[in-house]
Amino acid sequence: MMDWTDRHCRAFHRILTRHALLYTEMVTANAVIHGDRARLLASDESEHPVALQLGGSDPAALAEAAAIGERYGYDEINLNVGCPSDRVQEGRFGACLMSEPELVAACVAAMRQRVSIPVTVKCRIGIDDQDSEGALQHFVDTVAAAGCQIFIVHARKAWLEGLSPKENREVPPLDYARVYQLKASRPDLTIVLNGGIADLDAAQAHLKHVDGVMLGRAAYQTPYLLADVDRRFFAASREPVRRAQAIEALVPHVVRHLQSGGRLNNVVRHILGLYHGQPRARAFRRHLSELAVKDGAGIAVLLDALSIAEPSHQFAAAAE
Ligand SMILES: Cc1cc2nc3c(=O)[nH]c(=O)nc-3n(C[C@H](O)[C@H](O)[C@H](O)COP(=O)(O)O)c2cc1C
């Protein structure tokens, strides 16, 4: 999620779930080709499995960016056909590409020629007045014919004129039935449902109708729900990691980041919601958001936050 997630966020989420597939925020093909690749594409070994999401509409550029992504070790390339922002529309990519299925198919075909990892597409159920079941099926069929087997479908359409990107994630109504119908009519394709899934009970209910679910805001804002994903959906026997353990497991990552000149807040901003719903959630969040942004903030700020959230917790390293 642009402006929200990054490799630090993924390192944290990976501590909570070993098995869920993680996605990068959208990176444009041109940025991958011409930009600061080391910064844009760097990932932690621990992040896998992780998909690189690309934005673009030029088949050759996307193919080049996909090949670079594969070299950087990503496990999947995902094409964004869902983002409604003006900036993105000007570049003629994102959700507006839903009106150009042949171009999306050409992009997929070009990427598939260059990489051996899966090429997938994230789209909406429709845009503007192109919002019938038939139009969605036509889009999916055209793109599937180019070799895309996996579609992540945000179950609301986007209005490209008049709504902000934020409104486009809230105002058009969710239509889960449309995504269920897509799966029912195209059983050979892998259909992943996205949009408004707030918890794992809701995720489980959707999984009766589709092959997978993708969580965006809920995973970011209430990340601890990820801790039960492995046991619930991947038959893992490991007990869910406890919140304090998750913080301790993140410490080496934070220390490495600080040692390489990074700021504490770059990492800990992603954990502010870890205690959501718990008695000391607000104090935990306040401590981190006030102190982690300060120049020179070090690991003690994080450990103090842990003590605030769980006063009786003995930090493993401190107890030695
Ligand atoms: C701040 C923010 C940034 C987002 N950036 C992206 C993005 O880079 N790529 C993408 O496919 N979707 C992006 N999205 C949309 C989400 O992936 C998701 O489709 C949408 O929020 C609906 O799912 P949710 O209700 O689970 O959040 C973004 C959403 C938010 C809130």
Side-chain angles (χ1 to χ4, degrees):
M1 291 188 284
M2 280 186 288
D3 301 328
W4 284 21
T5 65
D6 57 17
R7 67 189 177 87
H8 304 301
C9 180
R10 289 187 289 281
F12 169 53
H13 285 185
R14 184 54 76 216
I15 289 168
L16 298 170
T17 164
R18 287 190 189 165
H19 297 290
L21 176 59
L22 301 177
Y23 284 76
T24 69
E25 59 286 3
M26 180 177 75
V27 187
T28 67
N30 282 338
V32 170
I33 296 168
H34 305 294
D36 178 358
R37 258 179 229 172
R39 185 179 61 78
L40 290 169
L41 297 185
S43 63
D44 207 274
E45 239 339 272
S46 71
E47 282 177 43
H48 295 284
V50 59
L52 171 64
Q53 188 186 63
L54 293 176
S57 59
D58 173 14
L62 281 166
E64 178 64 18
I68 294 167
E70 184 175 40
R71 283 209 298 279
Y72 269 77
Y74 285 92
D75 302 293
E76 171 183 322
I77 302 294
N78 177 262
L79 179 64
N80 184 318
V81 188
C83 179
S85 101
D86 287 348
R87 209 164 25 125
V88 163
Q89 284 181 59
E90 273 161 30
R92 198 160 145 254
F93 56 88
C96 63
L97 285 179
M98 290 216 65
S99 65
E100 298 188 77
E102 286 78 15
L103 178 57
V104 177
C107 293
V108 165
M111 288 190 280
R112 287 193 70 236
Q113 279 208 329
R114 291 287 300 276
V115 300
S116 54
I117 51 180
V119 174
T120 67
V121 165
K122 178 161 181 268
C123 64
R124 298 268 184 152
I125 55 174
I127 47 165
D128 299 333
D129 294 322
Q130 178 198 320
D131 64 356
S132 67
E133 186 179 347
L136 178 61
Q137 283 177 349
H138 173 67
F139 174 82
V140 165
D141 289 346
T142 308
V143 178
C148 175
Q149 288 291 307
I150 303 176
F151 291 84
I152 299 137
V153 188
H154 182 174
R156 54 163 63 89
K157 69 189 232 179
W159 283 107
L160 297 183
E161 300 272 330
L163 291 188
S164 70
K166 185 167 187 294
E167 288 167 331
N168 260 316
R169 291 192 289 264
E170 290 162 5
V171 175
L174 285 159
D175 185 353
Y176 294 132
R178 180 60 57 82
V179 185
Y180 299 168
Q181 281 155 9
L182 179 66
K183 174 61 197 177
S185 64
R186 301 293 181 268
D188 294 342
L189 297 176
T190 298
I191 304 295
V192 178
L193 184 146
N194 166 245
I197 304 174
D199 55 41
L200 300 191
D201 287 343
Q204 192 152 11
H206 288 304
L207 286 171
K208 292 198 189 93
H209 306 277
V210 289
D211 303 294
V213 291
M214 172 191 266
L215 277 67
R217 289 165 290 191
Y220 191 81
Q221 290 162 342
T222 53
Y224 193 64
L225 63 73
L226 295 173
D228 210 20
V229 163
D230 293 355
R231 199 171 56 166
R232 217 157 145 172
F233 300 105
F234 293 93
S237 52
R238 189 175 75 126
E239 283 293 302
V241 65
R242 284 181 284 109
R243 290 176 178 84
Q245 286 175 321
I247 292 178
E248 287 175 1
L250 189 63
V251 166
H253 179 91
V254 177
V255 169
R256 274 197 304 278
H257 182 61
L258 293 173
Q259 282 170 348
S260 68
R263 296 174 69 90
L264 182 67
N265 194 47
N266 298 147
V267 186
V268 304
R269 72 190 186 97
H270 302 298
I271 76 167
L272 297 180
L274 180 61
Y275 284 88
H276 177 88
Q278 298 297 299
R280 299 183 188 82
R282 187 189 289 222
F284 172 81
R285 176 184 271 274
R286 190 183 325 116
H287 179 85
L288 284 182
S289 45
E290 282 173 8
L291 298 184
V293 290
K294 297 208 165 155
D295 284 345
I299 198 78
V301 171
L302 177 60
L303 301 182
D304 288 346
L306 171 53
S307 306
I308 289 169
E310 304 198 41
S312 57
H313 179 76
Q314 294 274 315
F315 181 57
E320 280 169 8

